[in-house]
Amino acid sequence: MNAAPARVDRNALLARIDQVSAAIGAHAGAIELLEVSEAGVVRLRFIGMCTGCLFRPLTMMGTVEPALLEVPGVTAVEAAGTRISTEAATRMRHYLGDAGPPPLPAVQARP
């Protein structure tokens, strides 16, 4: 029997999204939460200057996805406009290395 996935702590998720947005805000962009599925899949969109940026897939895989997957209950992260092939995703993960990007501060819920 498969156990149901843990529910995503929405406050912790929003706090992490704020942190990621602050990190990519140096490029005048941010991310915005669209929805969270019962299975823990987070759907978001890039806003600001990230909207037309060709590096969205790299930002997604190197910064956004790893940071949001640290939030308990998050099982996957999807963003509009960042679809890439499995092969390209594998190459990106290889180039990013096993260590991945530098960590963001620990996840803390909003007050």
mmCIF file of all heavy atoms in Angstrom, residues 7-45:
data_model
loop_
_atom_site.group_PDB
_atom_site.id
_atom_site.type_symbol
_atom_site.label_atom_id
_atom_site.label_comp_id
_atom_site.label_asym_id
_atom_site.label_seq_id
_atom_site.Cartn_x
_atom_site.Cartn_y
_atom_site.Cartn_z
ATOM 1 N N ARG A 7 1.635 16.531 3.174
ATOM 2 C CA ARG A 7 1.098 17.809 2.698
ATOM 3 C C ARG A 7 2.210 18.850 2.706
ATOM 4 O O ARG A 7 3.057 18.874 3.580
ATOM 5 C CB ARG A 7 -0.018 18.294 3.614
ATOM 6 C CG ARG A 7 -1.311 17.583 3.395
ATOM 7 C CD ARG A 7 -2.418 18.635 3.480
ATOM 8 N NE ARG A 7 -3.715 18.073 3.241
ATOM 9 C CZ ARG A 7 -4.288 18.032 2.050
ATOM 10 N NH1 ARG A 7 -3.661 18.479 1.008
ATOM 11 N NH2 ARG A 7 -5.483 17.536 1.906
ATOM 12 N N VAL A 8 2.174 19.720 1.716
ATOM 13 C CA VAL A 8 3.152 20.796 1.615
ATOM 14 C C VAL A 8 2.755 21.898 2.595
ATOM 15 O O VAL A 8 1.606 22.338 2.612
ATOM 16 C CB VAL A 8 3.204 21.352 0.173
ATOM 17 C CG1 VAL A 8 4.118 22.559 0.095
ATOM 18 C CG2 VAL A 8 3.642 20.269 -0.800
ATOM 19 N N ASP A 9 3.704 22.314 3.413
ATOM 20 C CA ASP A 9 3.474 23.440 4.318
ATOM 21 C C ASP A 9 3.489 24.704 3.469
ATOM 22 O O ASP A 9 4.535 25.158 3.005
ATOM 23 C CB ASP A 9 4.573 23.475 5.374
ATOM 24 C CG ASP A 9 4.432 24.635 6.354
ATOM 25 O OD1 ASP A 9 3.757 25.640 6.040
ATOM 26 O OD2 ASP A 9 5.024 24.536 7.441
ATOM 27 N N ARG A 10 2.317 25.263 3.223
ATOM 28 C CA ARG A 10 2.189 26.411 2.321
ATOM 29 C C ARG A 10 3.002 27.608 2.815
ATOM 30 O O ARG A 10 3.612 28.316 2.010
ATOM 31 C CB ARG A 10 0.725 26.789 2.148
ATOM 32 C CG ARG A 10 0.518 27.748 0.992
ATOM 33 C CD ARG A 10 -0.962 27.826 0.621
ATOM 34 N NE ARG A 10 -1.170 28.673 -0.498
ATOM 35 C CZ ARG A 10 -1.197 28.264 -1.765
ATOM 36 N NH1 ARG A 10 -1.031 27.003 -2.050
ATOM 37 N NH2 ARG A 10 -1.392 29.123 -2.745
ATOM 38 N N ASN A 11 3.038 27.836 4.121
ATOM 39 C CA ASN A 11 3.814 28.968 4.639
ATOM 40 C C ASN A 11 5.308 28.772 4.397
ATOM 41 O O ASN A 11 6.004 29.715 4.026
ATOM 42 C CB ASN A 11 3.532 29.182 6.124
ATOM 43 C CG ASN A 11 2.162 29.771 6.362
ATOM 44 O OD1 ASN A 11 1.620 30.488 5.518
ATOM 45 N ND2 ASN A 11 1.575 29.470 7.504
ATOM 46 N N ALA A 12 5.797 27.553 4.595
ATOM 47 C CA ALA A 12 7.215 27.270 4.323
ATOM 48 C C ALA A 12 7.510 27.409 2.833
ATOM 49 O O ALA A 12 8.558 27.941 2.449
ATOM 50 C CB ALA A 12 7.578 25.872 4.815
ATOM 51 N N LEU A 13 6.583 26.949 2.000
ATOM 52 C CA LEU A 13 6.759 27.069 0.552
ATOM 53 C C LEU A 13 6.797 28.536 0.128
ATOM 54 O O LEU A 13 7.673 28.948 -0.643
ATOM 55 C CB LEU A 13 5.642 26.331 -0.182
ATOM 56 C CG LEU A 13 5.675 26.421 -1.713
ATOM 57 C CD1 LEU A 13 6.964 25.828 -2.276
ATOM 58 C CD2 LEU A 13 4.452 25.741 -2.301
ATOM 59 N N LEU A 14 5.870 29.338 0.635
ATOM 60 C CA LEU A 14 5.847 30.767 0.286
ATOM 61 C C LEU A 14 7.110 31.477 0.772
ATOM 62 O O LEU A 14 7.640 32.348 0.077
ATOM 63 C CB LEU A 14 4.591 31.429 0.843
ATOM 64 C CG LEU A 14 3.283 30.993 0.183
ATOM 65 C CD1 LEU A 14 2.086 31.565 0.939
ATOM 66 C CD2 LEU A 14 3.246 31.392 -1.280
ATOM 67 N N ALA A 15 7.601 31.077 1.947
ATOM 68 C CA ALA A 15 8.844 31.671 2.453
ATOM 69 C C ALA A 15 10.012 31.325 1.535
ATOM 70 O O ALA A 15 10.855 32.175 1.227
ATOM 71 C CB ALA A 15 9.119 31.187 3.873
ATOM 72 N N ARG A 16 10.055 30.067 1.068
ATOM 73 C CA ARG A 16 11.135 29.654 0.171
ATOM 74 C C ARG A 16 11.021 30.372 -1.166
ATOM 75 O O ARG A 16 12.019 30.792 -1.743
ATOM 76 C CB ARG A 16 11.102 28.136 -0.023
ATOM 77 C CG ARG A 16 12.175 27.630 -0.938
ATOM 78 C CD ARG A 16 13.550 28.031 -0.481
ATOM 79 N NE ARG A 16 14.112 26.960 0.291
ATOM 80 C CZ ARG A 16 15.211 27.064 0.998
ATOM 81 N NH1 ARG A 16 15.869 28.203 1.044
ATOM 82 N NH2 ARG A 16 15.666 26.064 1.683
ATOM 83 N N ILE A 17 9.803 30.534 -1.671
ATOM 84 C CA ILE A 17 9.601 31.270 -2.922
ATOM 85 C C ILE A 17 10.077 32.710 -2.764
ATOM 86 O O ILE A 17 10.711 33.259 -3.663
ATOM 87 C CB ILE A 17 8.126 31.184 -3.371
ATOM 88 C CG1 ILE A 17 7.841 29.775 -3.905
ATOM 89 C CG2 ILE A 17 7.806 32.250 -4.426
ATOM 90 C CD1 ILE A 17 6.389 29.485 -4.191
ATOM 91 N N ASP A 18 9.808 33.323 -1.620
ATOM 92 C CA ASP A 18 10.308 34.680 -1.350
ATOM 93 C C ASP A 18 11.828 34.715 -1.395
ATOM 94 O O ASP A 18 12.422 35.641 -1.952
ATOM 95 C CB ASP A 18 9.825 35.178 0.015
ATOM 96 C CG ASP A 18 8.355 35.535 0.049
ATOM 97 O OD1 ASP A 18 7.722 35.651 -1.020
ATOM 98 O OD2 ASP A 18 7.821 35.690 1.178
ATOM 99 N N GLN A 19 12.484 33.691 -0.810
ATOM 100 C CA GLN A 19 13.944 33.635 -0.809
ATOM 101 C C GLN A 19 14.493 33.489 -2.227
ATOM 102 O O GLN A 19 15.456 34.163 -2.594
ATOM 103 C CB GLN A 19 14.431 32.471 0.051
ATOM 104 C CG GLN A 19 14.224 32.673 1.528
ATOM 105 C CD GLN A 19 14.610 31.444 2.323
ATOM 106 O OE1 GLN A 19 14.451 30.318 1.856
ATOM 107 N NE2 GLN A 19 15.097 31.651 3.533
ATOM 108 N N VAL A 20 13.895 32.601 -2.988
ATOM 109 C CA VAL A 20 14.355 32.395 -4.362
ATOM 110 C C VAL A 20 14.131 33.660 -5.189
ATOM 111 O O VAL A 20 15.006 34.080 -5.945
ATOM 112 C CB VAL A 20 13.651 31.178 -5.010
ATOM 113 C CG1 VAL A 20 13.979 31.084 -6.491
ATOM 114 C CG2 VAL A 20 14.042 29.893 -4.292
ATOM 115 N N SER A 21 12.971 34.277 -5.020
ATOM 116 C CA SER A 21 12.684 35.512 -5.755
ATOM 117 C C SER A 21 13.681 36.604 -5.409
ATOM 118 O O SER A 21 14.106 37.358 -6.285
ATOM 119 C CB SER A 21 11.253 35.975 -5.473
ATOM 120 O OG SER A 21 10.332 35.110 -6.106
ATOM 121 N N ALA A 22 14.057 36.675 -4.145
ATOM 122 C CA ALA A 22 15.061 37.668 -3.749
ATOM 123 C C ALA A 22 16.404 37.376 -4.414
ATOM 124 O O ALA A 22 17.094 38.292 -4.854
ATOM 125 C CB ALA A 22 15.210 37.687 -2.230
ATOM 126 N N ALA A 23 16.742 36.093 -4.520
ATOM 127 C CA ALA A 23 18.019 35.713 -5.134
ATOM 128 C C ALA A 23 18.042 36.054 -6.624
ATOM 129 O O ALA A 23 19.046 36.552 -7.129
ATOM 130 C CB ALA A 23 18.281 34.221 -4.932
ATOM 131 N N ILE A 24 16.948 35.801 -7.328
ATOM 132 C CA ILE A 24 16.935 36.104 -8.758
ATOM 133 C C ILE A 24 16.468 37.532 -9.020
ATOM 134 O O ILE A 24 16.482 37.994 -10.156
ATOM 135 C CB ILE A 24 16.120 35.066 -9.573
ATOM 136 C CG1 ILE A 24 14.662 35.033 -9.169
ATOM 137 C CG2 ILE A 24 16.749 33.706 -9.473
ATOM 138 C CD1 ILE A 24 13.819 34.052 -9.988
ATOM 139 N N GLY A 25 16.117 38.237 -7.976
ATOM 140 C CA GLY A 25 15.712 39.631 -8.101
ATOM 141 C C GLY A 25 16.838 40.539 -8.560
ATOM 142 O O GLY A 25 16.584 41.621 -9.092
ATOM 143 N N ALA A 26 18.066 40.088 -8.396
ATOM 144 C CA ALA A 26 19.208 40.865 -8.881
ATOM 145 C C ALA A 26 19.148 41.021 -10.394
ATOM 146 O O ALA A 26 19.744 41.930 -10.948
ATOM 147 C CB ALA A 26 20.513 40.198 -8.466
ATOM 148 N N HIS A 27 18.408 40.145 -11.038
ATOM 149 C CA HIS A 27 18.232 40.204 -12.491
ATOM 150 C C HIS A 27 16.870 40.780 -12.841
ATOM 151 O O HIS A 27 16.407 40.621 -13.973
ATOM 152 C CB HIS A 27 18.367 38.812 -13.096
ATOM 153 C CG HIS A 27 19.707 38.197 -12.873
ATOM 154 N ND1 HIS A 27 20.163 37.135 -13.598
ATOM 155 C CD2 HIS A 27 20.702 38.486 -12.000
ATOM 156 C CE1 HIS A 27 21.370 36.806 -13.190
ATOM 157 N NE2 HIS A 27 21.715 37.603 -12.218
ATOM 158 N N ALA A 28 16.213 41.389 -11.865
ATOM 159 C CA ALA A 28 14.898 42.018 -12.035
ATOM 160 C C ALA A 28 13.806 41.007 -12.375
ATOM 161 O O ALA A 28 12.867 41.305 -13.073
ATOM 162 C CB ALA A 28 14.936 43.134 -13.074
ATOM 163 N N GLY A 29 13.947 39.792 -11.848
ATOM 164 C CA GLY A 29 12.945 38.761 -12.056
ATOM 165 C C GLY A 29 12.491 38.173 -10.741
ATOM 166 O O GLY A 29 12.964 38.549 -9.671
ATOM 167 N N ALA A 30 11.552 37.242 -10.827
ATOM 168 C CA ALA A 30 11.042 36.569 -9.643
ATOM 169 C C ALA A 30 10.222 35.370 -10.102
ATOM 170 O O ALA A 30 10.037 35.143 -11.300
ATOM 171 C CB ALA A 30 10.167 37.514 -8.812
ATOM 172 N N ILE A 31 9.740 34.590 -9.128
ATOM 173 C CA ILE A 31 8.826 33.496 -9.416
ATOM 174 C C ILE A 31 7.544 33.724 -8.636
ATOM 175 O O ILE A 31 7.548 34.371 -7.589
ATOM 176 C CB ILE A 31 9.430 32.114 -9.082
ATOM 177 C CG1 ILE A 31 9.888 32.049 -7.625
ATOM 178 C CG2 ILE A 31 10.536 31.766 -10.057
ATOM 179 C CD1 ILE A 31 10.354 30.673 -7.180
ATOM 180 N N GLU A 32 6.465 33.171 -9.172
ATOM 181 C CA GLU A 32 5.149 33.344 -8.567
ATOM 182 C C GLU A 32 4.459 31.986 -8.506
ATOM 183 O O GLU A 32 4.413 31.261 -9.505
ATOM 184 C CB GLU A 32 4.344 34.307 -9.439
ATOM 185 C CG GLU A 32 2.964 34.613 -8.947
ATOM 186 C CD GLU A 32 2.290 35.625 -9.863
ATOM 187 O OE1 GLU A 32 2.005 35.275 -11.037
ATOM 188 O OE2 GLU A 32 2.074 36.754 -9.409
ATOM 189 N N LEU A 33 3.918 31.642 -7.352
ATOM 190 C CA LEU A 33 3.224 30.374 -7.168
ATOM 191 C C LEU A 33 1.885 30.396 -7.888
ATOM 192 O O LEU A 33 1.110 31.349 -7.753
ATOM 193 C CB LEU A 33 3.000 30.115 -5.670
ATOM 194 C CG LEU A 33 2.274 28.822 -5.313
ATOM 195 C CD1 LEU A 33 3.099 27.600 -5.724
ATOM 196 C CD2 LEU A 33 1.984 28.794 -3.814
ATOM 197 N N LEU A 34 1.613 29.339 -8.653
ATOM 198 C CA LEU A 34 0.323 29.193 -9.319
ATOM 199 C C LEU A 34 -0.556 28.204 -8.578
ATOM 200 O O LEU A 34 -1.719 28.472 -8.313
ATOM 201 C CB LEU A 34 0.509 28.739 -10.769
ATOM 202 C CG LEU A 34 1.248 29.702 -11.683
ATOM 203 C CD1 LEU A 34 1.435 29.085 -13.066
ATOM 204 C CD2 LEU A 34 0.510 31.031 -11.780
ATOM 205 N N GLU A 35 -0.007 27.039 -8.249
ATOM 206 C CA GLU A 35 -0.789 26.037 -7.530
ATOM 207 C C GLU A 35 0.114 24.962 -6.956
ATOM 208 O O GLU A 35 1.266 24.820 -7.362
ATOM 209 C CB GLU A 35 -1.836 25.400 -8.444
ATOM 210 C CG GLU A 35 -1.256 24.540 -9.546
ATOM 211 C CD GLU A 35 -2.326 23.901 -10.418
ATOM 212 O OE1 GLU A 35 -3.367 23.482 -9.891
ATOM 213 O OE2 GLU A 35 -2.096 23.837 -11.631
ATOM 214 N N VAL A 36 -0.442 24.210 -6.013
ATOM 215 C CA VAL A 36 0.220 23.047 -5.441
ATOM 216 C C VAL A 36 -0.779 21.903 -5.515
ATOM 217 O O VAL A 36 -1.892 22.024 -4.997
ATOM 218 C CB VAL A 36 0.645 23.286 -3.973
ATOM 219 C CG1 VAL A 36 1.342 22.055 -3.414
ATOM 220 C CG2 VAL A 36 1.525 24.515 -3.840
ATOM 221 N N SER A 37 -0.396 20.813 -6.152
ATOM 222 C CA SER A 37 -1.307 19.680 -6.290
ATOM 223 C C SER A 37 -1.326 18.860 -4.999
ATOM 224 O O SER A 37 -0.449 19.001 -4.134
ATOM 225 C CB SER A 37 -0.876 18.787 -7.454
ATOM 226 O OG SER A 37 0.234 17.998 -7.089
ATOM 227 N N GLU A 38 -2.308 17.985 -4.907
ATOM 228 C CA GLU A 38 -2.401 17.078 -3.761
ATOM 229 C C GLU A 38 -1.173 16.176 -3.667
ATOM 230 O O GLU A 38 -0.807 15.735 -2.589
ATOM 231 C CB GLU A 38 -3.668 16.228 -3.853
ATOM 232 C CG GLU A 38 -4.949 17.008 -3.615
ATOM 233 C CD GLU A 38 -5.079 17.514 -2.189
ATOM 234 O OE1 GLU A 38 -4.712 16.786 -1.238
ATOM 235 O OE2 GLU A 38 -5.544 18.657 -2.023
ATOM 236 N N ALA A 39 -0.544 15.910 -4.803
ATOM 237 C CA ALA A 39 0.640 15.055 -4.846
ATOM 238 C C ALA A 39 1.927 15.809 -4.524
ATOM 239 O O ALA A 39 3.007 15.235 -4.544
ATOM 240 C CB ALA A 39 0.757 14.398 -6.217
ATOM 241 N N GLY A 40 1.824 17.111 -4.265
ATOM 242 C CA GLY A 40 3.001 17.902 -3.910
ATOM 243 C C GLY A 40 3.728 18.523 -5.086
ATOM 244 O O GLY A 40 4.863 18.985 -4.943
ATOM 245 N N VAL A 41 3.095 18.546 -6.252
ATOM 246 C CA VAL A 41 3.705 19.175 -7.431
ATOM 247 C C VAL A 41 3.427 20.676 -7.376
ATOM 248 O O VAL A 41 2.276 21.100 -7.316
ATOM 249 C CB VAL A 41 3.156 18.574 -8.741
ATOM 250 C CG1 VAL A 41 3.750 19.288 -9.948
ATOM 251 C CG2 VAL A 41 3.424 17.079 -8.801
ATOM 252 N N VAL A 42 4.484 21.457 -7.373
ATOM 253 C CA VAL A 42 4.389 22.912 -7.315
ATOM 254 C C VAL A 42 4.455 23.450 -8.736
ATOM 255 O O VAL A 42 5.389 23.146 -9.478
ATOM 256 C CB VAL A 42 5.543 23.504 -6.473
ATOM 257 C CG1 VAL A 42 5.552 25.022 -6.539
ATOM 258 C CG2 VAL A 42 5.434 23.020 -5.030
ATOM 259 N N ARG A 43 3.459 24.240 -9.119
ATOM 260 C CA ARG A 43 3.448 24.905 -10.430
ATOM 261 C C ARG A 43 3.648 26.387 -10.195
ATOM 262 O O ARG A 43 2.996 26.973 -9.338
ATOM 263 C CB ARG A 43 2.134 24.644 -11.159
ATOM 264 C CG ARG A 43 2.022 23.215 -11.646
ATOM 265 C CD ARG A 43 0.935 22.955 -12.645
ATOM 266 N NE ARG A 43 0.346 24.071 -13.340
ATOM 267 C CZ ARG A 43 0.815 24.632 -14.474
ATOM 268 N NH1 ARG A 43 1.894 24.189 -15.026
ATOM 269 N NH2 ARG A 43 0.184 25.637 -15.034
ATOM 270 N N LEU A 44 4.560 26.968 -10.947
ATOM 271 C CA LEU A 44 4.847 28.390 -10.798
ATOM 272 C C LEU A 44 5.116 29.004 -12.142
ATOM 273 O O LEU A 44 5.130 28.331 -13.161
ATOM 274 C CB LEU A 44 6.023 28.597 -9.838
ATOM 275 C CG LEU A 44 7.321 27.854 -10.145
ATOM 276 C CD1 LEU A 44 8.216 28.668 -11.040
ATOM 277 C CD2 LEU A 44 8.018 27.511 -8.859
ATOM 278 N N ARG A 45 5.322 30.313 -12.130
ATOM 279 C CA ARG A 45 5.718 31.001 -13.352
ATOM 280 C C ARG A 45 6.784 32.023 -13.003
ATOM 281 O O ARG A 45 6.849 32.524 -11.877
ATOM 282 C CB ARG A 45 4.535 31.657 -14.043
ATOM 283 C CG ARG A 45 3.952 32.835 -13.313
ATOM 284 C CD ARG A 45 2.852 33.483 -14.127
ATOM 285 N NE ARG A 45 1.974 34.228 -13.229
ATOM 286 C CZ ARG A 45 0.701 34.379 -13.431
ATOM 287 N NH1 ARG A 45 0.117 33.868 -14.482
ATOM 288 N NH2 ARG A 45 -0.027 35.053 -12.579
#
